[in-house]
Amino acid sequence: MNAPPLLPVAFFFAMGIAVGKWAAPSYVSVSLCLVIYSVLFACKRSVPSLFYWLVFLFGIWRVGLACQKDTLDFPEGKSLCKVRAVVTRPPYPERWFPRVESDRSHFYKNSFLVHVHSIYARDDQGRTEWTQHASGVKVVSLETNLRLMRGDEVEMFGWLSPIPPPSNVGQKETLSFWESRGVSYHLLVQPGNIVLLRRGQGGWMRNFFHGLRMRYIEFLLDHLGQEDGTFLAAILLGSRKLIDPEIEANFRRCGVSHLLAISGFHVALVAFLFYRFIKWACFPVPVCNLSVMAICGFYALLTELDPPVVRAVLVIWTYLAAPLFGRKPSSLNALALAALVVLGHSPMHLFQAGFQLSFAASFCILRTLPHFHPQEKKKASSWVKKMAIGGHNNLMISFAAWIGTSPLVAAHFYSICPLSPLTTLLLTPFFVLSLALGLLLLFTLIGIGWGALFLVFALHRSEERRVGKEGRCRWSP
């Protein structure tokens, strides 16, 4: 019997996760069912439905395993305690933000993440001692000049509480967002209550790429200015919290806020540009595939393994690795395998809006691509016809993504923009130009001299064009 396609396997695994999260069955009963169905599948290989039931039960078992974790007790909703942790995502310097707000919202925007390994608090007998407890914590510090790097081990004293529920209905996915990242608690720290114990903890590779990322963002801000530098840093490296709120609101009103979030579009552009360059240098196909896979992995580390980037890199790796093993590449199977890997590692991603929007848009685009006819563009006699065919194809891709994501956008954010495919088509060329120039500056080690000045000038001109188009599109519904 041929192996089942990966698409229904991913579907049944996701359904198992959803049912397991909603029904929360007994962990022991699900494990017993897994054993029974595994025996039946081993005895009766001619029954393919048993395999899908096995995948479905494995999804229930996996989400039950993820929900089984030690939790802290907060009788009064929060507790004043001391924690020791390693910084996993440090705060940005204050001078990088577009404006310093007078209220506390600025501090909440520049929150950072730590991995707690021990807590100094009172136990059930009233004694205070250090206890081992591993969990992710979101830290809000009211200190202005906080200089922390990834891998720093710190000791903090403040109010520890569970992640607060969303303040309005439009943020109902907040809890699932933090659950998918392994963050369970919120810590509010007053100035002077963070002590640096030592540096260089955690993985050296992640720390190294974090340092590269911070230096590149600083280079962009120094040479492009505050507005253009933060915008390019957001679309290149995922530092979206640095963008001016007014610019973000304009993109949201235009229905193109997805262009600001680093996603598969950015990774696909990285892979396309470098694949074309390496192929132009007359390297064989296996060398091209391996080189592009390595560059995509480098880019994922540079974005601190942001979940959307990891999903896109997994798809590209699967697609490019298939010819190396003598298999025909399949886009839908690559997409399904990426979903299986992401959900297997963290099943809570299924309930996050970003995961749903990313895979819904990718699935609709991949189902639309076979209906295009690239040979018509090659046979076109004039460049005008080629541009017309290319514009039509790009518009249909934007429309397919809009059709697939509109119900999810309406369900999660209570808004929808009918002109989103058109505004996406108008703004995409300027985004591609900015991304291409930024990637050239990022990957070619052009840090000094006339090459950097030329790239900075080109980026400035590209940003001016982008702002002009954005101003024309901001009145769309």
Side-chain angles (χ1 to χ4, degrees), residues 216 219-220 223 436-456 459:
Y216 185 65
F219 178 84
L220 292 176
H223 291 80
L437 292 172
L439 290 170
L440 183 62
L441 184 63
L442 174 62
F443 285 101
T444 54
L445 302 179
I446 305 178
I448 55 174
W450 293 103
L453 292 178
F454 170 75
L455 289 175
V456 167
L459 282 170

Side-chain angles (χ1 to χ4, degrees), residues 64-230:
L65 186 65
C67 292
Q68 281 191 346
K69 55 185 178 182
D70 296 332
T71 56
L72 298 173
D73 233 357
F74 298 99
E76 299 177 359
K78 59 182 179 179
S79 175
L80 189 63
C81 60
K82 187 184 294 185
V83 301
R84 285 180 180 172
V86 176
V87 179
T88 56
R89 185 162 291 191
Y92 292 113
E94 296 289 330
R95 56 189 173 83
W96 287 5
F97 284 87
R99 64 168 67 96
V100 178
E101 302 166 7
S102 57
D103 55 357
R104 289 191 176 185
S105 62
H106 173 69
F107 298 103
Y108 281 85
K109 187 176 182 181
N110 197 23
S111 60
F112 60 99
L113 303 182
V114 299
H115 182 74
V116 173
H117 55 77
S118 53
I119 298 178
Y120 188 75
R122 294 184 180 275
D123 57 8
D124 298 335
Q125 283 77 29
R127 298 173 299 181
T128 53
E129 58 180 5
W130 286 102
T131 57
Q132 301 296 321
H133 182 84
S135 62
V137 175
K138 173 189 175 185
V139 182
V140 175
S141 174
L142 303 183
E143 191 169 343
T144 52
N145 297 320
L146 194 61
R147 296 181 180 179
L148 293 175
M149 296 296 292
R150 193 186 190 280
D152 290 350
E153 186 177 3
V154 294
E155 184 175 289
M156 299 176 290
F157 181 73
W159 290 99
L160 187 67
S161 62
I163 292 289
S167 54
N168 59 67
V169 230
Q171 298 175 340
K172 62 180 182 179
E173 79 285 347
T174 303
L175 294 180
S176 62
F177 173 82
W178 291 116
E179 281 182 357
S180 65
R181 281 159 173 76
V183 177
S184 308
Y185 303 104
H186 174 274
L187 182 67
L188 180 62
V189 182
Q190 296 292 333
N193 288 329
I194 298 181
V195 179
L196 178 63
L197 300 179
R198 50 182 174 172
R199 294 187 181 274
Q201 303 302 302
W204 66 268
M205 184 178 290
R206 297 284 301 274
N207 297 344
F208 171 75
F209 277 96
H210 169 76
L212 282 181
R213 181 176 187 264
M214 299 295 280
R215 284 195 289 272
Y216 185 65
I217 294 176
E218 190 168 10
F219 178 84
L220 292 176
L221 293 176
D222 291 342
H223 291 80
L224 293 177
Q226 188 73 28
E227 182 177 342
D228 292 345
T230 53

